[in-house]
Amino acid sequence: MHTAFEPTATWYSDARQYWKDVPSTVEGMLGGLGRLTDLDVRDSTWFLDDTTYGLDCGAGIGRVTKQLLLNFFDRVDLVECTGKFLEQARDDVLKQEVETGRVDRLFHTGLEAFSPEAQRYDLVWCQWVLNYLTDDDLVLFLKRCVAGLKPNGIIGVKENCAVSEYVMDHEDSSVTRSDAVFKSLFERAGLHVIKEAVQSSFPSDLFTVRM
Ligand SMILES: C[S@@+](CC[C@H](N)C(=O)[O-])C[C@H]1O[C@@H](n2cnc3c(N)ncnc32)[C@H](O)[C@@H]1O
């Protein structure tokens, strides 16, 4: 046990001599722990990779990805339940971005059945789609989204808001919720609101749109 660092006079030459005798292999580089190389490189890759990722939920034809999310994030994934919209995104609206890899994964599924990959996203954006989920499915979906966020990741929600708690629409099986109902669901999912705004300049006969 030493309490101070007192290098010997031959400090550097001793190290060089030591390494001269070590085999020129991965095992040699890792002092016999070559089996750890994959784990080592995996975590270093996470550490160095600052590629930013967004997820567009209920992406439709990719309108929000194209006009908004790709301005902020290096890569965007889409999740959407209507196949023809996703095809339009892939083959037309986002064709170039798919080819260059800026649009990465396209998930054809409903949010109620979707689980994002762990710690992948800086932002999960849900716009005009949470009205298609039941309350319980919405809470479970948000909890799964939390698991899909990087450590400083956030969830963005932009939805119509009603004055009364719930306004049902049986034509498209959707429900418009009040701001208070949304907040209680966010709380049930273990989330808290860090920023809020109201969409401006929309026609006055529409629902209020809150972010
Ligand atoms: C009003 S559009 C909004 C599309 C897009 N977010 C935008 O703002 O351009 C609603 C979208 O939600 C999708 N959708 C409906 N129910 C869904 C569900 N359970 N899971 C995922 N997407 C759903 C529809 O197919 C449609 O593309």
Side-chain angles (χ1 to χ4, degrees), residues 35-128:
R35 65 181 185 282
L36 298 185
T37 192
D38 289 347
L39 290 173
D40 163 53
V41 173
R42 182 195 68 184
D43 279 20
S44 302
T45 302
W46 287 346
F47 183 72
L48 290 176
D49 182 10
D50 59 359
T51 304
T52 54
Y53 276 89
L55 175 66
D56 186 354
C57 297
I61 62 167
R63 181 189 71 90
V64 173
T65 292
K66 179 88 174 181
Q67 295 187 32
L68 177 79
L69 300 179
L70 285 168
N71 295 330
F72 290 90
F73 300 96
D74 298 321
R75 287 170 199 262
V76 178
D77 295 343
L78 279 63
V79 50
E80 165 58 48
C81 73
T82 307
K84 68 172 186 181
F85 294 157
L86 213 49
E87 282 163 22
Q88 181 73 5
R90 186 194 61 206
D91 301 338
D92 183 21
V93 178
L94 298 168
K95 193 175 192 316
Q96 244 189 337
E97 291 82 356
V98 168
E99 279 164 11
T100 60
R102 290 203 64 205
V103 166
D104 194 356
R105 302 178 186 175
L106 304 175
F107 299 101
H108 181 198
T109 181
L111 301 184
E112 65 280 9
F114 179 71
S115 292
E117 181 184 308
Q119 298 201 18
R120 179 172 170 86
Y121 298 106
D122 297 277
L123 173 77
V124 172
W125 186 260
C126 308
Q127 179 160 356
W128 286 320

Side-chain angles (χ1 to χ4, degrees), residues 3-201:
T3 51
F5 174 34
E6 287 156 356
T8 57
T10 54
W11 184 255
Y12 290 114
S13 57
D14 287 352
R16 279 167 182 60
Q17 190 54 47
Y18 170 84
W19 284 104
K20 261 191 205 161
D21 297 334
V22 171
S24 311
T25 61
V26 171
E27 287 299 326
M29 295 304 96
L30 295 180
L33 296 175
R35 65 181 185 282
L36 298 185
T37 192
D38 289 347
L39 290 173
D40 163 53
V41 173
R42 182 195 68 184
D43 279 20
S44 302
T45 302
W46 287 346
F47 183 72
L48 290 176
D49 182 10
D50 59 359
T51 304
T52 54
Y53 276 89
L55 175 66
D56 186 354
C57 297
I61 62 167
R63 181 189 71 90
V64 173
T65 292
K66 179 88 174 181
Q67 295 187 32
L68 177 79
L69 300 179
L70 285 168
N71 295 330
F72 290 90
F73 300 96
D74 298 321
R75 287 170 199 262
V76 178
D77 295 343
L78 279 63
V79 50
E80 165 58 48
C81 73
T82 307
K84 68 172 186 181
F85 294 157
L86 213 49
E87 282 163 22
Q88 181 73 5
R90 186 194 61 206
D91 301 338
D92 183 21
V93 178
L94 298 168
K95 193 175 192 316
Q96 244 189 337
E97 291 82 356
V98 168
E99 279 164 11
T100 60
R102 290 203 64 205
V103 166
D104 194 356
R105 302 178 186 175
L106 304 175
F107 299 101
H108 181 198
T109 181
L111 301 184
E112 65 280 9
F114 179 71
S115 292
E117 181 184 308
Q119 298 201 18
R120 179 172 170 86
Y121 298 106
D122 297 277
L123 173 77
V124 172
W125 186 260
C126 308
Q127 179 160 356
W128 286 320
V129 67
L130 298 183
N131 51 327
Y132 294 102
L133 298 188
T134 64
D135 281 354
D136 287 347
D137 279 339
L138 175 48
V139 170
L140 291 170
F141 171 68
L142 290 173
K143 285 183 173 174
R144 293 194 299 276
C145 287
V146 170
L149 292 175
K150 290 181 187 169
N152 290 319
I154 58 169
I155 298 172
V157 169
K158 185 166 184 177
E159 294 288 340
N160 291 345
C161 284
V163 174
S164 52
E165 289 190 334
Y166 295 100
V167 177
M168 308 293 295
D169 184 337
H170 291 289
E171 191 191 341
D172 66 348
S173 274
S174 72
V175 60
T176 302
R177 301 175 169 95
S178 70
D179 184 43
V181 167
F182 266 118
K183 283 180 178 149
S184 74
L185 296 173
F186 297 158
E187 203 178 305
R188 272 177 62 193
L191 295 163
H192 66 274
V193 178
I194 55 171
K195 189 171 178 178
E196 290 181 79
V198 174
Q199 172 71 42
S200 65
S201 310

